[in-house]
Amino acid sequence: MWIKIALGITTLAAITMGVVPFLQSRDGDITDDTLMTYKVSRGNLNVTITENGMLESSNNEEIKCMVKGGSTVLWVIETGTIVQAGEELVRMDTSLIEDNITQQQITYERAVANDIIAQSEVDVAQTNIEEYLHGTYLEERNTIEKSIFDSEEMVKKKQLAFESSLRLASKGVYGSLQMESEQYAVDSARKDLELQKKKLETLDRYKKKKTLQQLQSALNAAQARLAAEKASLKLAKDRLDRDKEQLKNCIITAPAEGMVIFPSAAEWKETPDIEEGARVREQQTLLMIPDTSKMQVKVGVHESKVSRLRIGMTAKVALQDLELTGKIDEIAEVTRPAGWWTGNMVKYDTMIRLDPQPGLKPGMSAVVDIVLASYNDVLKVPVAAIVESADGYLCWIRNGGKIEKRTVTLGDTNDEYTVVELGLSEGDEVVLNPLAHLEQAEKEALKPNNADTSNDTPPQMPAKKTRDESKTKTKQKDSSDASKKKATDPESQKLLKAGDKNGDGFLQKDELPAKDQANFPKIDTNKDNKISISELNTALKAAKGR
């Protein structure tokens, strides 16, 4: 895979440059002595990955916004400041929270008052029950019992009077009318006695029970209201306490001693470093205090090479004037997000662990070399001497004043030299950059079924041109291409051409893919609501540098 990538780049570069062959040779023709060649030799070959990365700590104390619903930053400490535990780091707006506390304090006091009233109603309801059982009920019962006693005495009196009247009537003293009156008095007294007994029975069997039920219901209702008021009071107090806690959270202090830094945002991530006046959300990481005794370098390794990485591999890390040795500690299982601004380049984050070293600071740029393989005393040839065609890998060698084509079998490569397993011998002179000098090499590269170059290969150049015409056109095209490359990255031109739907030479926000439109303000540095080729070129360089 590495060889195909390296050769594909070399092939496309040579063909698209439009260089006319210096030598119009065919199989067996005598070669031009001005051809650049390389003598195949044996030697050592190291296959390495070189990537740019950034120094960071593997153990960071994160300082987060704990204000519910977020807040606005009023003041933030400068990044890189050395702080002590308890020192103020961030101050956020408290006006809204203070208003909430005042309003919640009013609600809390009302809840306290309602709780007192509800408790009083419960106490009154309980007293009413006791008052009835031990007071009102007994008083009514005693009153009825006294009435019964009086009625019984009245019945006895009326009965004696009636019996006395009977004796007098037998002697002829009372007439029948008087006797009827005496009988009525006895019956009336007896009826009154029955009425009083009925009242007592009604009181004991019905009225007492009904009254107790009413009083108990009133007590239950009062207790339910009390429970509701207590719940409201607790809720009001919890909200008040929470708002007071939120007020405390508006002042963030350092939990430990160390250097404060802003969290590093990934490419085009919508999490800018905080600043005064910025709106921050709840749980957003605002600052970090890194543990400088546990430092690592984070690099992105291309998908074509990540499969060769192993945990524990040695890596050389260059930090300004300092060179360190580290080991691969972690290889991401999932690729980092790729976007059009990176040319859809797929990379996997790889962590290089470093031993403790004085002077290491988060954010320092690093160049990492990871040795994937080492070969001793192998036959090697420059990648620039190899052409990939439909028939395999080819080289052209100078043999007795003639140019010969050779099919070769290749081994590993470091993108500069490639191990040759078959097809060449030590001492063979291979032609460098044959696509630019040999018509036959160009034809081989343009053969059909060439999977790496068929899609992007320009039409084959005419075979016959005068040397002067070729030199003139080559010089003009080289000059034009050099000017273009100096100004912009070819990848920028491809992306602009692919996205510029209205053909105005700029990218508008609606011309970007939906998933990339959120990054439009970051790329549009001059804020003119369109992305120019220079702004796109700058964004691509920044992304690839990370």
Side-chain angles (χ1 to χ4, degrees):
M1 181 64 180
W2 289 23
I3 297 173
K4 289 187 177 181
I5 293 174
L7 293 180
I9 294 172
T10 304
T11 301
L12 285 173
I15 293 175
T16 56
M17 283 293 290
V19 179
V20 177
F22 291 121
L23 178 63
Q24 303 295 331
S25 64
R26 287 171 172 75
D27 291 346
D29 288 351
I30 302 299
T31 184
D32 190 335
D33 290 337
T34 62
L35 284 175
M36 293 181 63
T37 61
Y38 173 85
K39 185 174 288 188
V40 179
S41 61
R42 305 188 73 85
N44 299 333
L45 181 68
N46 290 326
V47 180
T48 61
I49 297 174
T50 301
E51 295 286 356
N52 295 324
M54 180 181 294
L55 195 62
E56 62 181 35
S57 174
S58 61
N59 183 27
N60 296 297
E61 182 78 33
E62 294 186 345
I63 312 298
K64 295 186 176 183
C65 171
M66 302 303 294
V67 178
K68 190 173 183 63
S71 184
T72 301
V73 177
L74 298 181
W75 175 85
V76 61
I77 197 169
E78 291 185 5
T79 183
T81 304
I82 305 298
V83 298
Q84 302 296 323
E87 188 171 341
E88 186 174 337
L89 303 179
V90 182
R91 188 184 311 120
M92 289 179 281
D93 183 23
T94 61
S95 57
L96 181 60
I97 296 177
E98 289 173 346
D99 290 344
N100 289 341
I101 289 176
T102 302
Q103 185 64 41
Q104 199 57 47
Q105 185 70 44
I106 296 172
T107 303
Y108 172 72
E109 296 299 340
R110 286 176 178 170
V112 171
N114 291 336
D115 178 69
I116 294 173
I117 295 173
Q119 182 65 57
S120 176
E121 289 177 350
V122 170
D123 294 340
V124 169
Q126 290 175 337
T127 302
N128 288 339
I129 293 176
E130 293 178 1
E131 179 187 19
Y132 177 74
L133 287 175
H134 303 292
T136 306
Y137 166 69
L138 294 179
E139 182 180 348
E140 285 188 51
R141 198 174 195 288
N142 289 336
T143 300
I144 295 173
E145 286 178 345
K146 180 179 181 303
S147 297
I148 292 174
F149 178 77
D150 292 342
S151 296
E152 288 176 344
E153 291 298 321
M154 183 60 68
V155 169
K156 290 179 182 179
K157 288 180 180 180
K158 295 300 180 181
Q159 186 65 36
L160 290 174
F162 177 73
E163 291 176 355
S164 177
S165 296
L166 282 176
R167 287 192 296 269
L168 292 174
S170 63
K171 294 178 180 181
V173 177
Y174 281 168
S176 60
L177 186 60
Q178 290 179 319
M179 291 302 298
E180 288 179 3
S181 176
E182 292 294 335
Q183 182 65 47
Y184 174 77
V186 172
D187 293 341
S188 177
R190 287 176 179 173
K191 288 292 183 181
D192 186 59
L193 176 61
E194 291 177 3
L195 178 60
Q196 296 302 324
K197 287 183 178 180
K198 198 65 176 178
K199 282 185 178 180
L200 181 61
E201 181 183 1
T202 302
L203 176 64
D204 289 338
R205 292 185 61 182
Y206 304 109
K207 188 175 181 180
K208 177 183 179 182
K209 183 177 180 181
K210 182 180 72 174
T211 304
L212 284 176
Q213 286 179 341
Q214 291 174 343
L215 294 175
Q216 186 63 46
S217 297
L219 175 60
N220 293 341
Q223 289 174 337
R225 285 193 295 272
L226 176 61
E229 295 299 340
K230 285 189 176 298
S232 298
L233 177 61
K234 182 178 183 305
L235 179 61
K237 188 175 187 307
D238 290 343
R239 287 178 175 174
L240 181 60
D241 292 342
R242 185 164 59 244
D243 285 342
K244 289 180 178 180
E245 186 67 25
Q246 294 300 310
L247 187 62
K248 294 179 182 178
N249 291 338
C250 288
I251 305 297
I252 302 177
T253 58
E257 178 185 356
M259 179 175 63
V260 177
I261 62 172
F262 290 140
S264 298
E267 291 92 338
W268 316 114
K269 183 180 178 183
E270 283 295 321
T271 310
D273 293 338
I274 63 170
E275 59 184 0
E276 294 178 4
R279 181 74 184 177
V280 293
R281 66 180 185 279
E282 184 181 4
Q283 292 296 325
Q284 178 178 337
T285 300
L286 307 180
L287 299 168
M288 293 192 301
I289 300 180
D291 183 355
T292 54
S293 65
K294 298 179 180 179
M295 301 300 286
Q296 63 184 13
V297 178
K298 179 179 179 180
V299 296
V301 178
H302 194 272
E303 60 180 333
S304 64
K305 303 177 183 179
V306 71
S307 61
R308 300 188 64 176
L309 296 180
R310 297 291 182 270
I311 300 296
M313 273 187 172
T314 301
K316 293 183 178 180
V317 180
L319 296 165
Q320 298 179 358
D321 297 331
L322 187 64
E323 291 191 0
L324 303 175
T325 300
K327 292 186 179 297
I328 296 179
D329 187 55
E330 182 182 343
I331 304 170
E333 295 292 337
V334 180
T335 178
R336 66 165 61 168
W340 62 269
W341 61 87
T342 64
N344 290 320
M345 186 180 298
V346 178
K347 289 192 173 185
Y348 289 79
D349 287 336
T350 303
M351 302 300 179
I352 312 298
R353 187 182 69 253
L354 301 176
D355 293 330
Q357 178 77 22
L360 298 184
K361 297 181 179 180
M364 295 176 66
S365 58
V367 179
V368 178
D369 291 324
I370 304 173
V371 179
L372 300 180
S374 295
Y375 300 93
N376 298 322
D377 193 31
V378 293
L379 206 62
K380 61 181 183 178
V381 66
V383 173
I386 302 169
V387 173
E388 184 182 8
S389 76
D391 299 329
Y393 297 109
L394 305 174
C395 283
W396 280 261
I397 67 169
R398 177 182 289 170
N399 186 12
K402 295 184 179 181
I403 297 297
E404 295 181 358
K405 181 179 73 173
R406 292 281 183 88
T407 300
V408 294
T409 301
L410 304 178
D412 209 347
T413 181
N414 62 3
D415 296 339
E416 184 178 358
Y417 289 93
T418 300
V419 175
V420 179
E421 296 178 350
L422 293 174
L424 295 177
S425 302
E426 187 175 4
D428 287 345
E429 287 189 52
V430 294
V431 176
L432 295 177
N433 199 10
L435 287 171
H437 304 300
L438 300 178
E439 182 183 10
Q440 185 187 32
E442 186 177 336
K443 289 180 178 180
E444 289 288 348
L446 295 174
K447 276 186 177 181
N449 300 324
N450 189 332
D452 291 325
T453 60
S454 60
N455 291 335
D456 298 317
T457 302
Q460 183 174 349
M461 294 172 59
K464 295 183 180 180
K465 288 185 181 179
T466 65
R467 183 175 295 273
D468 290 340
E469 289 175 346
S470 299
K471 285 183 177 179
T472 300
K473 290 187 178 181
T474 300
K475 183 176 180 181
Q476 291 174 347
K477 186 165 183 64
D478 287 348
S479 175
S480 174
D481 286 351
S483 176
K484 272 187 179 180
K485 288 188 176 182
K486 185 175 181 181
T488 59
D489 190 319
E491 192 68 33
S492 303
Q493 296 175 339
K494 288 175 63 179
L495 292 173
L496 182 62
K497 184 177 179 181
D500 185 16
K501 298 175 183 176
N502 59 10
D504 62 352
F506 297 92
L507 286 179
Q508 309 296 333
K509 185 174 182 179
D510 58 0
E511 292 177 332
L512 300 182
K515 66 185 181 67
D516 297 323
Q517 290 183 5
N519 301 305
F520 183 85
K522 290 180 175 288
I523 307 172
D524 181 21
T525 55
N526 61 6
K527 307 305 179 185
D528 61 352
N529 294 322
K530 57 186 178 182
I531 298 175
S532 64
I533 186 67
S534 61
E535 289 173 329
L536 187 58
N537 191 47
T538 301
L540 274 173
K541 286 182 179 178
K544 291 180 180 178
R546 294 291 293 270

